[in-house]
Every structure is written in structure tokens, then in C-alpha cells.
Amino acid sequence: MAAYPEYPPDQNDEQQDYLLTSLKDWSIAHGLAVRPTTAYVSAETDPSGALATTAPVTLFPSLFPRVCFEQAKSVAQDYNELYSAIASDEEWLKQTVEELVDIDDFIAQLWKIHLAVKQEGYVQVTFTRPIQILDLIMIEPLNLGLFRSDYMVHTDPANAQSRPCVKQVEFNTIASSFGGLSTQVSALHKYLLTVGAYPETLSSIISDAALPESTSVPGLALGMAKAHEAYGSSKNGLPTCVIFLVQDPERNVFDQRHVEYALNRNYGVKTFRLPFGRVLDDTKLDADRKLIYSPPHTPSKQFEVTLVYFRAGYSPAEYQSQRDWDGRLQIERSAAIKCPSILTQLAGTKKVQQVLATPHSPHLKRFLPNEARAAAVLKTFAPIYPMDKSEAGQEARKLAQDPETAVRYVLKPQREGGGNNVYRKAIPQFLKETPETHWPAHILMEMIEPPAQSNVIFRNGELQKGGVICELGVYGACLWRDEDGKGKRKILENFEAGYLLRTKGSGSEEGGVAVSSYDEYLSYQDAADGIPGRFRLGRFCVSN
Ligand code: ADP
Ligand code: MG
């Protein structure tokens, strides 16, 4: 029995035209848009980069069991607590990171920056703590995490009656994208429902109650506003601002703009976009290591930066020269709140996810002392193994090298942003070509096999119909103050911040099915980069 019903329906030309016209107009009118690829709109056609196109979206909301949606949301605050605890526990992180520094240059560089700043001393707005009759001036850095925990629906293949649940794909602590567009996609599908763009026959499936709003734009903006407020005003009387540290060029700019505009509009916070490569050009540290920003369009003006929100800096390719590393160091040394700090970024490595999720791992308890909450988080882990020489690592090495067992796994290095993993039958060959000393830079994860479903994707002006796989991301915002650098911290804000549903063509490897060519892989990248799909909830609970 199929887990999901026949979906989406066939439509005649007039029905499809109406749906598509409604979708295209609404998307552009509401900024559900991306800058086009040059393959779609050539540089000669758009020499000034003025054009935008609808972000790739599904025509119909994708299906997702309500019970799974609720489960993923229910652990959002626990994940905030867990990862803020890990990021505050430098001693624990050090053990994990040190296993990587000799074999992963990128991680080694990040760690080096952290150590340099640690030696000098992290700075932050000083904070007066009344202890007995003395007022002690403490330096307790503030940290902001805008996280996204990604999940797929898992059903037990051995038990057809089992309820579906979510299993975590990964946990993102840096540059979690699509929070801006996700709110728009959820609104788009609601709009299409209200204007009758979906056939009557679907009324029992696509209903208003089955289309929950995603609050990711207000949620992420609130997280930033709280950090900005906690930093306080400039002691030197400068105006303050939040920096969006971005890649340049950036096709997904409107995703970021939605959050930025909400921050301006709802909280009156001044924001600037700073390209990653320009940190040393446009910022400097004052004597107290406050981060001072001068916009290139008005270089005589100075702003004190309260928060640096990273939408860049997560991939080695972005660090093209020592100057880029020096820029990263400058931000880390500064008093500005980093979202994320280097430690928070490192807490989000796949290695940390593996250390927590390796069967019988004792580590979760350390960070989440509440047993019930730890159990709820544990339920979302899929089995993940190290590729080192430990007992679990030896077992994993066997599974990964044997072509018969390797097909159930994905091998991941410590990278973000897509395009780095090795899937299923490609794993044994990859290991043959990789020196054994480098194997521990990877983790081996069981593939999650979500139920099959179909949808129609509108992308680059074309319709693509076929099998899709859905990945749910739940955003979380967490603001905390480190108290001793050894794991003690005070959480000031901890809330869920909306969700994202991405729908990927299942004909690609990262979607979960075999792929062989690089071209196909690239086409996945494009699709994944712009398909905040949308889902309905409820009646298609697989257990029904
Ligand atoms: P990245 O940091 O590059 O985003 P991910 O761990 O999210 O790395 O992997 C990229 C994609 O690969 C995911 O979006 C998902 O489609 C697929 N994938 C990763 N891990 C699994 C898994 N265990 N089961 C099924 N698909 C997976
Ligand atoms: Mg991912």
C-alpha cells in the first residue's frame, strides 16, 4: 500500500494555466523570487543584474504527516538548549575538533582562530553582576544561534503498521537559509487555495487547516532583535547596526532581504549587507575591540556593530586568501555578537552530530540533563558512525567498504552547503581513492528512506513532474551568555522560529536515489537551492 494517496491530480490546460499564472504573479508581487542563473537569463540579456524570477516552488503543497511535523516542532527548544550547551563547552568540543585538525584543514583554520581569540580573551559588552555586596564586572560573551534542524520522514521497513516519525538529516548552526522565502511559500499555497486554483477533487486534502503558516521571517527577525537589544547602545555614542555578512554575488538575496526588512520594519534596527571579502575594507576594531562599520557609500559615517549574522563563511572556497581569514579573525575578536561564533559553527559539524548519535553514546545526557527531553531528542537520531579506528569505527569501515551494505549509507565530510557527500554504491570506490588516514574526517550515516510521493515543480520557467522527497527544517532561535567557558551559561531567549519544507526531485542522489553523473548532481543543487516546497498536514498520516 502506498503511504500517500495519488497526488497531485492531472489538470487540463486551462486549469494548469490558471494555477501557473496565479502562482507566477503572486510570487513576483510578494518577493518569492531569486536572481536567475546565467543559464536561464544570460549576462548579455541582463547586463545590470536587474532581473529576478520566481523561486522554484512546487505547484501543489507536498504531503507531510502531521504527527511528524508536530514531533519535529516539539524538540526545537531542546535542540536550542543542546547546541548552545555544546558551543559553550569548549573543553568537550576540543576533544572532538582535535580528532579533525590534522586531516581537515578548514576545521583546523577555524580552530586556530578560536584559540588565538581565546588567548587574547573574548570581549563583549561588559556586564555587571551583583555578588554579595560587590558589583563585579564580568566579561560574559553573548551568543546568538539561529539554527535549523533538518528532518525526513522515516517509516520502519520491517513494520508496516508502525507510525511514521522524523529522523534528523543534519543540524545547521551557520547560514541556515530559506527562512525568508519559507514564510512566502506557505502564504502562496494558501492564496492558491483561496482563489480556487486547486481542483475541487482536492478539497479534502488541501484545506486551510492543512496549510500551516511558517513564521520563519518574524521568528528569525525577533531572534536578531533580541540580540541587538541585549548588546545595548554604543558607549561612544555611535549609531548601532546589524551586519548581514553575505556572499557576493548571491542569487538567493531576497530570502535574506525578507528577514532584513522585518528587522528594520518591526524593530527599527539599521542593517547593512557586507560581502564576506570586504570585512577588512569596511570594518575596523576600536581600542575596546568594538566592531566599527563604515559603509562604502558614506565612508565618513561610523556605526557600532551589535550583531554579525553570517550568511557566508561556511565553505572553504569562500576563503580565497589570508585576507579573508584575517577578516574572519577580526569579527571573532570583536565585541559584536556573532551568529554564529566559531565555537557555535564547530558545534554544527557532522562529527559532533555523529558523536551524539552513535548508538549508546553517553554524550547527550551531559548536555540535556532532563531525561524526558533527552529521550525525545534521541528519538530523532538516525544511526551515525565514526570512520576512525574505534570499535564503532571499525564496524563502520566494514559496512562502507562492502558494496552490498554500503548502499544503505551516506558518507559525509565536515562541510556545509550541499554537494559534498558520497552516496551509497559510490562509497567503496571513494574510500579506495582516499588515503586511509583521511577516512576519520568523514562520518557514515544510515540513509533515511522517506515514503515516495510526486509533485510538479516550477523552475526556470519549466514544469517538472515526478517523484519527490521532502525535507522539513525547523528553525530555532537561542540567545545565551557564556558564564565560564566550561559549559555554564545563561539562556536569555529560546524559541522555535518557524519551518521550511523543501521538496527535491527524487531522481538525484542527494534526494536519496542513485545518481551517477556530475551534471545530474548540479541540477539537484539548483533545484535544492530554490525549492522551499510546501506541505499539507494531517490526514495522510501513514499510520492511518
Ligand atoms: P549539507 O550540509 O551539505 O546540507 P546534508 O547532511 O544536509 O549536508 O546532506 C545533503 C542532502 O543529502 C540532504 O539534504 C538530503 O537530501 C541528503 N541526505 C543527507 N543525509 C541523508 C540521510 N541520512 N538519508 C537520506 N538523505 C540524506
Ligand atoms: Mg543540508
Side-chain angles (χ1 to χ4, degrees):
M1 191 191 77
Y4 293 123
E6 279 298 306
Y7 185 88
D10 287 329
Q11 290 183 292
N12 64 31
D13 289 350
E14 287 75 20
Q15 288 169 329
Q16 190 161 82
D17 268 2
Y18 180 61
L19 173 55
L20 209 49
T21 304
S22 308
L23 182 152
K24 285 186 294 192
D25 291 351
W26 192 97
S27 295
I28 293 300
H30 293 81
L32 178 47
V34 289
R35 294 275 179 218
T37 59
T38 47
Y40 183 36
V41 177
S42 69
E44 297 88 71
T45 310
D46 183 24
S48 56
L51 295 184
T53 184
T54 52
V57 287
T58 59
L59 258 51
F60 299 88
S62 295
L63 309 178
F64 200 89
R66 181 183 289 276
V67 63
C68 293
F69 181 61
E70 299 297 344
Q71 183 196 0
K73 289 193 345 156
S74 72
V75 287
Q77 285 169 298
D78 303 316
Y79 268 113
N80 286 344
E81 193 178 329
L82 172 61
Y83 274 87
S84 61
I86 294 172
S88 308
D89 195 339
E90 195 241 14
E91 264 172 45
W92 185 89
L93 254 182
K94 183 176 167 206
Q95 291 168 18
T96 311
V97 170
E98 279 184 346
E99 287 182 39
L100 298 169
V101 289
D102 291 337
I103 44 177
D104 188 320
D105 197 41
F106 183 59
I107 300 284
Q109 293 281 359
L110 289 172
W111 186 244
K112 218 168 90 186
I113 291 186
H114 161 68
L115 289 181
V117 180
K118 184 186 167 196
Q119 194 173 22
E120 183 182 11
Y122 273 85
V123 274
Q124 187 64 243
V125 261
T126 41
F127 172 70
T128 311
R129 178 192 290 277
I131 295 183
Q132 293 170 350
I133 49 167
L134 293 171
D135 273 358
L136 288 187
I137 303 287
M138 314 288 286
I139 296 178
E140 297 180 339
L142 286 160
N143 292 276
L144 177 67
L146 293 179
F147 302 135
R148 200 188 69 215
S149 186
D150 291 339
Y151 306 92
M152 284 181 179
V153 173
H154 167 79
T155 44
D156 182 355
N159 180 0
Q161 299 308 313
S162 67
R163 274 161 71 90
C165 62
V166 287
K167 292 289 178 195
Q168 186 182 56
V169 174
E170 67 158 341
F171 191 84
N172 300 284
T173 60
I174 182 164
S176 310
S177 56
F178 294 123
L181 294 187
S182 180
T183 294
Q184 301 305 103
V185 187
S186 69
L188 165 71
H189 284 125
K190 257 190 204 297
Y191 165 78
L192 292 173
L193 173 65
T194 54
V195 297
Y198 294 133
E200 282 289 308
T201 50
L202 283 185
S203 60
S204 63
I205 300 175
I206 309 178
S207 65
D208 193 55
L211 297 173
E213 183 190 355
S214 173
T215 54
S216 44
V217 168
L220 297 176
L222 176 64
M224 288 189 208
K226 289 287 182 187
H228 177 79
E229 184 186 275
Y231 182 98
S233 54
S234 164
K235 301 277 175 297
N236 301 325
L238 292 176
T240 55
C241 75
V242 168
I243 289 287
F244 280 50
L245 192 65
V246 297
Q247 298 181 339
D248 185 29
E250 171 61 86
R251 287 184 46 233
N252 194 28
V253 57
F254 307 110
D255 177 45
Q256 302 167 357
R257 287 290 195 188
H258 281 297
V259 181
E260 191 184 342
Y261 297 155
L263 196 53
N264 303 153
R265 193 176 52 235
N266 302 344
Y267 304 99
V269 176
K270 186 118 191 130
T271 52
F272 293 100
R273 289 172 65 80
L274 172 62
F276 187 68
R278 287 195 58 91
V279 171
L280 295 184
D281 299 307
D282 301 340
T283 72
K284 63 176 189 199
L285 297 182
D286 75 4
D288 299 321
R289 284 197 265 155
K290 309 281 189 214
L291 187 65
I292 308 299
Y293 172 72
S294 293
H297 62 276
T298 43
S300 59
K301 282 211 175 126
Q302 294 195 327
F303 294 84
E304 183 169 331
V305 181
T306 58
L307 168 71
V308 180
Y309 168 57
F310 282 73
R311 289 298 292 262
Y314 52 84
S315 156
E318 295 173 78
Y319 297 78
Q320 292 190 347
S321 68
Q322 185 54 41
R323 194 171 161 78
D324 294 324
W325 283 109
D326 293 346
R328 182 73 198 258
L329 174 65
Q330 175 146 304
I331 291 174
E332 193 71 10
R333 287 184 67 220
S334 80
I337 300 171
K338 294 87 169 161
C339 177
S341 67
I342 296 235
L343 286 183
T344 305
Q345 179 176 354
L346 289 170
T349 53
K350 273 124 187 142
K351 185 71 195 166
V352 168
Q353 188 191 5
Q354 171 259 303
V355 169
L356 296 172
T358 297
H360 316 298
S361 164
H363 297 286
L364 185 59
K365 279 206 287 284
R366 176 190 177 99
F367 300 113
L368 269 186
N370 180 316
E371 277 184 30
R373 299 322 305 157
V377 167
L378 186 66
K379 273 198 196 136
T380 64
F381 290 169
I384 313 180
Y385 303 92
M387 284 292 288
D388 56 19
K389 289 189 170 160
S390 65
E391 205 180 314
Q394 299 289 5
E395 183 59 25
R397 287 174 172 215
K398 270 195 224 140
L399 293 167
Q401 288 177 89
D402 180 342
E404 273 191 22
T405 45
V407 293
R408 298 202 308 270
Y409 293 91
V410 46
L411 188 72
K412 303 187 184 183
Q414 311 305 311
R415 292 289 176 272
E416 301 298 324
N420 303 297
N421 300 342
V422 183
Y423 294 86
R424 302 182 193 263
K425 66 178 193 292
I427 299 174
Q429 186 60 30
F430 175 84
L431 289 175
K432 274 190 201 143
E433 292 163 5
T434 306
E436 207 178 311
T437 46
H438 278 68
W439 292 7
H442 300 77
I443 54 109
L444 188 74
M445 180 175 193
E446 248 178 58
M447 286 297 282
I448 307 159
E449 314 275 2
Q453 64 173 300
S454 298
N455 210 327
V456 187
I457 290 167
F458 182 61
R459 174 173 164 263
N460 290 351
E462 285 173 10
L463 292 173
Q464 301 165 339
K465 186 170 182 176
V468 295
I469 282 178
C470 292
E471 188 169 329
L472 172 71
V474 178
Y475 297 94
C478 190
L479 179 69
W480 72 95
R481 194 186 279 286
D482 279 331
E483 291 189 338
D484 63 358
K486 294 182 190 149
K488 204 159 161 256
R489 74 206 187 289
K490 181 169 171 37
I491 294 184
L492 307 175
E493 299 288 338
N494 175 358
F495 53 90
E496 184 229 295
Y499 75 89
L500 159 77
L501 195 83
R502 280 177 296 172
T503 304
K504 303 177 175 183
S506 59
S508 75
E509 183 113 65
E510 293 221 341
V513 186
V515 77
S516 49
S517 81
Y518 193 62
D519 280 349
E520 224 174 324
Y521 177 72
L522 278 183
S523 76
Y524 154 74
Q525 282 299 308
D526 270 353
D529 274 351
I531 309 178
R534 186 65 181 111
F535 59 103
R536 79 164 282 275
L537 303 169
R539 290 194 28 195
F540 289 112
C541 186
V542 186
S543 56
N544 284 347

